[in-house]
Amino acid sequence: MKNFDASGKPMPYHNSGGITAADAEEGRDDNMVTFSIGVHYKIGKHKEALQWNSPLNRPTVVPQTPFECIDADKDGVCDQWDKCLDTPEGIRVDGSGCSLDSDGDGVPDSEDKCPTIPGPPTNGGCPEKLVRISGEDVATRINAYLEGIEFDYNSDRIREQSYDKLNHAAEVLLANPDFKFVVEGHTDAAGGVDYNQKLSDRRAASVVRYLANKGVDTTKLSSIGKGKSDLKWPECNPVTNCPAWKNLENRRVVFKEIK
């Protein structure tokens, strides 16, 4: 059996003496027989584990009843997870349904006179380190804080990067509540007189609203718009006469003490 197991035809007699590839190469043998033994186990106590089952025959999933959220105090947190079930309506809350404490001083924002500045409850949540200063010094310090306050273009919306400046201003005002100030809004020289007047009115009022949200007594503040009538840099009319930084400084808010 020279061709068994596909070992090939005998090599030509003139080269090999009539031997096959199996005779010449180690590991190739016409007489090799291969056996394969296997064992198959089925493990599992459930019938489904012992035989194949079509997924189409499986039980239909029962639809779940939608969860009903009951929110008695209307704070946006379901009563099942609300740790403060009697939160007054309109108060901002955290994920547990309790009043926010933005500065982490233990006084909830709804009662904190300085919600962004930590302070003891005995001082209404305001820091005690602030000292009283004269009205003129208060205005000077506030104006230094508010230098460079920014609004959205053609808008009275205060930009987020200016919040820290206003928070510092609120800190000073809260420590010195006996003084009254007028808040002046100013614009640059771009645009018409009437338009700038109205825009400066809105921007000054926006600053007062922000301070009111920080606990400042707004009866001690009044707002007024000056438009482009009192430029910090008068030579910037028209605006093309000046670089951008000068026109930016003309768009400002100023505190002046009312004596």
Side-chain angles (χ1 to χ4, degrees):
M1 295 178 64
K2 295 295 183 180
N3 294 344
F4 184 77
D5 197 25
S7 62
K9 294 180 180 180
M11 296 183 180
Y13 283 97
H14 64 278
N15 290 333
S16 62
I19 64 175
T20 67
D23 295 325
E25 297 179 16
E26 184 177 356
R28 296 186 65 172
D29 191 347
D30 283 341
N31 302 318
M32 180 178 292
V33 179
T34 302
F35 294 94
S36 176
I37 300 176
V39 180
H40 183 69
Y41 291 96
K42 292 182 179 179
I43 302 175
K45 64 180 181 179
H46 297 293
K47 184 178 180 180
E48 289 79 6
L50 302 177
Q51 62 182 356
W52 181 85
N53 282 269
S54 171
L56 299 178
N57 296 330
R58 293 177 181 174
T60 304
V61 177
V62 178
Q64 299 296 319
T65 303
F67 175 77
E68 182 181 2
C69 177
I70 301 174
D71 183 13
D73 55 7
K74 299 180 180 179
D75 60 0
V77 180
C78 300
D79 288 354
Q80 289 87 333
W81 300 292
D82 198 332
K83 294 181 179 179
C84 302
L85 295 171
D86 57 351
T87 305
E89 189 171 354
I91 298 298
R92 296 175 60 197
V93 299
D94 57 21
S96 66
C98 296
S99 177
L100 284 177
D101 181 15
S102 300
D103 54 15
D105 60 3
V107 182
D109 290 355
S110 57
E111 303 172 8
D112 199 330
K113 294 182 179 179
C114 302
T116 61
I117 309 167
T122 54
N123 200 40
C126 293
E128 295 179 332
K129 64 180 181 179
L130 297 176
V131 296
R132 293 174 58 81
I133 53 182
S134 69
E136 184 177 347
D137 288 340
V138 170
T140 300
R141 185 174 297 188
I142 292 175
N143 288 330
Y145 285 143
L146 296 185
E147 186 174 355
I149 186 173
E150 297 181 29
F151 297 87
D152 284 347
Y153 181 69
N154 281 346
S155 169
D156 60 357
R157 184 177 181 274
I158 301 169
R159 291 185 175 175
E160 188 172 349
Q161 56 262 39
S162 297
Y163 290 173
D164 283 345
K165 296 175 180 288
L166 286 165
N167 291 342
H168 287 311
E171 182 179 343
V172 175
L173 288 168
L174 288 166
N176 299 272
D178 297 333
F179 301 100
K180 293 185 178 182
F181 299 93
V182 58
V183 183
E184 293 183 353
H186 298 263
T187 67
D188 59 24
V193 173
D194 290 342
Y195 176 81
N196 280 315
Q197 178 61 47
K198 293 177 181 178
L199 180 60
S200 63
D201 283 336
R202 298 201 313 272
R203 285 180 171 174
S206 182
V207 168
V208 172
R209 285 196 302 273
Y210 185 97
L211 296 173
N213 288 332
K214 298 300 177 182
V216 176
D217 183 1
T218 54
T219 62
K220 304 295 179 67
L221 301 176
S222 58
S223 64
I224 185 173
K226 304 291 285 188
K228 59 180 182 179
S229 63
D230 186 15
L231 298 175
K232 179 178 180 178
W233 301 101
E235 66 272 22
C236 297
N237 189 8
V239 293
T240 52
N241 289 345
C242 292
W245 68 268
K246 280 193 172 182
N247 288 315
L248 177 62
E249 289 192 357
N250 277 334
R251 302 192 293 271
R252 67 199 193 281
V253 175
V254 179
F255 273 64
K256 291 184 177 179
E257 183 189 4
I258 302 175
K259 306 222 178 166

